[in-house]
Amino acid sequence: MNVDIDMDADVALASKLDFGFDVVRFLYVGFFSSLPPWARYTVLALFGLTVVYGFVSWLRKRSADAPGTADGVQADEAPVR
């Protein structure tokens, strides 16, 4: 079985996720494996809180920028054109 591969084509042999996974694995093995459990859990909790805070901030900004919200209109008034 002979497979002919065109090397001139733009082919990605590895995905960007593979690189990210390798970086995370390197940090885990090199950094987390030598830490005591209390320090490891503290770092992971701070990282998790940072991710949650970023997600909540993104949701708040997204909902604040939503079109069609009538801020100055009360419930019993009709919007004025």
Side-chain angles (χ1 to χ4, degrees), residues 53-69:
Y53 178 76
F55 181 69
V56 169
S57 297
W58 175 76
L59 282 177
R60 291 172 109 190
K61 183 178 183 306
R62 184 173 170 239
S63 65
D65 293 342
T69 57

Side-chain angles (χ1 to χ4, degrees), residues 33-65:
S33 63
S34 62
L35 288 176
W38 66 268
R40 187 177 317 146
Y41 299 144
T42 302
V43 170
L44 288 175
L46 289 173
F47 178 73
L49 287 173
T50 303
V51 170
V52 169
Y53 178 76
F55 181 69
V56 169
S57 297
W58 175 76
L59 282 177
R60 291 172 109 190
K61 183 178 183 306
R62 184 173 170 239
S63 65
D65 293 342

Side-chain angles (χ1 to χ4, degrees), residues 15-30:
S15 71
K16 294 178 183 177
L17 291 176
D18 288 339
F19 178 72
F21 178 75
D22 290 339
V23 168
V24 169
R25 187 176 56 177
F26 172 76
L27 290 174
Y28 180 78
V29 170

